[in-house]
Amino acid sequence: MGYSLGIDLGATTCVVALRRAAAVEVCRIGEDDSGMPAVALPRPDGSLLVGEEADGRSEYEPALVARYVVSRLGDGQPLDIDGHHIDPLTLTRAVLREAMVRAAPLPGVAPDHVVVTYPLLPGVGPEELIAD
């Protein structure tokens, strides 16, 4: 039996609900609660830390942690993080992917449907957010 995900991608937090058959439940994708911080931290090797891992590093590397990345989607400008220009869409997709991985009832099993809610931003549609 398949499942569907509803993802609420906010400026500061990401929350996910999972539906199987007629049952709907809020997923605990955060370490301490149902929400995961919607933050990202680009690493020198090109990988991205997201969620609590990125948020936790902000104490030591505050200039490297990207916050409010969803709010920056509509302005068409890259984020300047430690002298590197990074597309906010790349960071937002990383947060979405991590939320989906954390919410999956079985590792590696993709949902049948995904619905994403996010702040209204000019020029940003679902086709930009969910490309892969």
Side-chain angles (χ1 to χ4, degrees), residues 12-60:
T12 61
T13 307
C14 184
V15 180
V16 179
L18 181 138
R19 180 185 62 82
R20 283 186 270 199
V24 177
E25 62 184 278
V26 175
C27 298
R28 185 181 173 135
I29 63 168
E31 289 180 3
D32 297 324
D33 61 18
S34 60
M36 174 182 84
V39 298
L41 185 146
R43 303 305 300 162
D45 66 0
S47 65
L48 293 169
L49 290 179
V50 297
E52 294 87 359
E53 290 178 337
D55 198 37
R57 294 300 308 162
S58 67
E59 182 177 338
Y60 308 103

Side-chain angles (χ1 to χ4, degrees), residues 79-94:
L79 296 170
D80 183 358
I81 300 176
D82 197 34
H84 302 297
H85 294 109
I86 301 175
D87 183 2
L89 186 56
T90 299
L91 302 174
T92 301
R93 286 179 179 161

